[in-house]
Amino acid sequence: MCALLVTGTGLTGCGADPDEGTNGVGKLPAGTIQTKTRTAAASADAVRLSGTVVTSGTTYTLDMRLKGDGGTGSVTAKGATFRLLRVGEHLFLKADAAFWSHEEDGGKGDAGHSSTAAAAKLGGLFVKVPTGDPSYKKFSGFTDKEVLLDGLLTLHGSLATDGHHTQSGVRTIRITGDDGSGGTLDVSLEGSPYPLRLVRAGGAGTLLLSDWGKDFPLKEPAKDETVDYGQQLPTS
């Protein structure tokens, strides 16, 4: 009698082909899989990205929906949650007064501005961030599908495959960099080879990627919900 093999994803019949009925990328070399998944990600019209990213010593918890002309969603860092919205080049940031106050870091908001006077004006409204303001460079990347995925979807070191798995009920092939120390990426074996789960190298966060190709509304907030300070956010 054929025994059942216990894998990381469940029970597999002896001699069963784990790639049967898939898109076939599970049979390819790891480097080819990475190329195909990056191509698939770049060609998709939209994606949802959620999880954590650690950069410059700060952990950001993201729940963003992204497409070619912008993105929208929430970001949490240092105990404060704020919303980002970018339509074309126009970036808006919405947070409560506590975000702008940040008394625990010496009266400086996360955007780097003295917040005592600004908090009452900015709390609860979409603040249009000037392109020349340091905050624009700091946060716009979280709303840029091309920049964000290009920076995240590269594994480091020698690439290899690490078996068949599942992610949110979807069969995947996992590829690794330097046996996992350079990051791991689960790639869909169903339909397009989209990346579904990324564990970044060096403990720099874990991200889930979903809703590939699913469009969502993206428009600027109404004028009565917006504060526009012009050239620079207030510093006092």
Side-chain angles (χ1 to χ4, degrees):
M1 181 180 294
C2 179
L4 292 178
L5 300 179
V6 181
T7 70
T9 59
L11 300 177
T12 301
C14 183
D17 181 1
D19 292 299
E20 183 178 358
T22 71
N23 55 24
V25 300
K27 298 180 179 181
L28 300 175
T32 304
I33 297 173
Q34 177 171 256
T35 298
K36 285 186 173 293
T37 197
R38 289 173 66 89
T39 299
S43 63
D45 292 332
V47 64
R48 182 177 182 178
L49 189 152
S50 59
T52 58
V53 173
V54 181
T55 180
S56 300
T58 298
T59 298
Y60 295 91
T61 301
L62 311 178
D63 188 359
M64 299 294 301
R65 301 192 70 180
L66 310 169
K67 55 184 178 179
D69 58 346
T72 183
S74 66
V75 179
T76 300
K78 299 178 181 178
T81 298
F82 53 95
R83 181 178 174 187
L84 292 175
L85 169 64
R86 184 176 62 83
V87 183
E89 292 186 355
H90 296 166
L91 176 67
F92 301 88
L93 189 155
K94 182 179 182 180
D96 59 20
F99 170 87
W100 300 102
S101 297
H102 274 273
E103 295 179 355
E104 70 274 16
D105 61 8
K108 295 287 184 178
D110 194 74
H113 301 283
S114 177
S115 56
T116 303
K121 299 177 182 179
L122 307 183
L125 294 174
F126 283 97
V127 178
K128 187 174 182 180
V129 182
T131 56
D133 192 274
S135 304
Y136 190 95
K137 182 178 180 180
K138 183 175 183 178
F139 294 125
S140 62
F142 289 135
T143 66
D144 192 314
K145 173 179 175 286
E146 180 178 358
V147 170
L148 195 58
L149 294 185
D150 187 61
L152 292 175
L153 294 181
T154 299
L155 301 178
H156 302 282
S158 178
L159 298 181
T161 57
D162 186 28
H164 292 69
H165 301 264
T166 61
Q167 176 59 47
S168 302
V170 178
R171 288 181 291 174
T172 66
I173 182 70
R174 180 172 297 170
I175 57 176
T176 66
D178 279 349
D179 295 324
S181 63
T184 69
L185 184 66
D186 282 39
V187 178
S188 176
L189 290 175
E190 302 177 17
S192 296
Y194 292 127
L196 300 183
R197 181 176 183 268
L198 170 70
V199 178
R200 302 183 69 205
T206 298
L207 291 165
L208 302 181
L209 302 101
S210 60
D211 292 348
W212 287 102
K214 294 185 179 180
D215 196 17
F216 58 93
L218 190 63
K219 63 179 182 179
E220 295 190 13
K223 290 185 177 180
D224 61 357
E225 299 178 307
T226 307
V227 176
D228 187 347
Y229 275 92
Q231 296 301 310
Q232 186 177 359
L233 293 182
T235 57
S236 62

